[in-house]
Amino acid sequence: LYNLLESDGYNMDDLFLSGLDRPLDMVALLDEMLDWNVDPENDFHNSINADRIGISGHSFGGYTALQVAFDDPRIKAVVPQEPVTTILDLFGYKFADLPVPCMMQAAALDKTLPPEAEMHEPYLEMSAPKYYFELITGGHFTYSDICILDLVYVANDLGIADAENALDDGCADYNVPVAIAQPLINQFAIGFFNYYLRDSLGSHDYFTTPAAEEVKDILVFEMEE
C-alpha cells in the first residue's frame, strides 16, 4: 500500500509510484469485470459489450485513461479531462499514434496544469477523429464534484489543502459555474461515446461545431473527423 499523504502534504515518491500503477490497475479491473460479464451468477452478467469499451478520467486519471487507450486494444474511445500528458511523453508515447478517437477536455484557466502544453499541443499531434473541448473560464476542479461542497469549511476545519486549491482553480466566482459547465461536459463526452461505441448517429449532433456554436461564450471547440 502507498502512503500518499503526510502531515505537510503529499508524499511525492509514493504518489509517483501509485501513478505508474494506475494504468495496470485499470487493465486488471477491466479483466475482472469481463470475467464477471460471462459469469451467469454475477450481477454484471451480460451487462458489458466487450467490443465497445471507452475510458475517461480527470487529471492523473486523464493520464491513466490515455495510457490505457494506448496499451489496451479493448479500448475503442477515450475522453481525457485535463490530463497530465507530459508523463506519456517521458515514457515514449507519441500522440500521433493514439489508436482510438479522442475528445480532449480542458479548461483555459487551469492553474494546476498548463492547458496549452498538457492538452492542446497533444491534441494537435493526434490523428483524426479528434476533438478539443475547452471551457473558457473553467479551472482544474470544474470537472470534479468538489465545487458543490462547502470548500471554506473543508479547507479550514478539516485541513484538506486540495479544497483550498479548488477555491481558486475551478470553483471561484470568475470560473464558469459547475451547474453550467458540467451539463456541457456530459453532453459532449456522452455524445462522443454514444457515437463511437453505440453507433448512435443522432448523437453526433451533440458534440460537433454547431453544438459548440450555441455556447461559444463558454466553450472553445475544435474537431477533425
Side-chain angles (χ1 to χ4, degrees):
L1 296 177
Y2 297 109
N3 179 26
L4 299 182
L5 294 176
E6 297 177 331
S7 60
D8 59 348
Y10 288 112
N11 177 334
M12 296 308 296
D13 290 340
D14 277 7
L15 185 66
F16 179 76
L17 291 173
S18 76
L20 297 180
D21 278 345
R22 292 184 192 194
L24 301 176
D25 292 339
M26 291 305 301
V27 171
L29 176 62
L30 181 54
D31 290 341
E32 185 75 6
M33 292 196 71
L34 290 178
D35 285 343
W36 296 345
N37 193 50
V38 296
D39 179 1
E41 302 300 318
N42 195 281
D43 290 340
F44 283 93
H45 181 236
N46 281 343
S47 65
I48 301 169
N49 185 333
D51 298 320
R52 306 273 182 118
I53 297 173
I55 188 168
S56 183
H58 172 245
S59 194
F60 224 137
Y63 143 73
T64 302
L66 279 167
Q67 184 169 331
V68 176
F70 270 111
D71 291 343
D72 194 322
R74 295 173 296 185
I75 302 300
K76 306 302 182 186
V78 60
V79 179
Q81 298 175 327
E82 300 189 291
V84 186
T85 59
T86 47
I87 300 174
L88 292 163
D89 285 333
L90 292 174
F91 291 163
Y93 290 92
K94 304 298 182 186
F95 285 99
D97 298 329
L98 184 67
V100 298
C102 176
M103 178 177 288
M104 182 74 78
Q105 294 195 327
L109 301 185
D110 191 327
K111 296 182 180 180
T112 302
L113 296 169
E116 183 63 29
E118 295 284 359
M119 296 144 222
H120 194 241
E121 289 178 8
Y123 161 79
L124 292 176
E125 295 175 18
M126 294 174 186
S127 300
K130 61 180 181 178
Y131 308 83
Y132 186 76
F133 173 108
E134 184 178 84
L135 295 167
I136 296 170
T137 58
H140 193 72
F141 292 95
T142 303
Y143 283 82
S144 77
D145 291 336
I146 197 171
C147 293
I148 66 175
L149 302 177
D150 183 345
L151 294 179
V152 174
Y153 168 77
V154 173
N156 295 335
D157 289 19
L158 300 184
I160 299 177
D162 274 357
E164 189 172 1
N165 294 339
L167 283 167
D168 198 37
D169 194 3
C171 307
D173 291 342
Y174 52 79
N175 293 126
V176 57
V178 293
I180 295 173
Q182 291 192 356
L184 285 175
I185 293 166
N186 293 339
Q187 173 189 325
F188 278 72
I190 293 171
F192 169 83
F193 277 138
N194 278 345
Y195 182 75
Y196 283 104
L197 300 179
R198 302 180 67 187
D199 292 333
S200 173
L201 299 183
S203 294
H204 193 259
D205 294 340
Y206 291 96
F207 67 96
T208 53
T209 300
E213 278 292 314
E214 296 180 9
V215 287
K216 60 184 178 181
D217 57 328
I218 299 171
L219 178 66
V220 170
F221 187 72
E222 302 172 33
M223 60 178 287
E224 185 178 333
E225 295 182 325

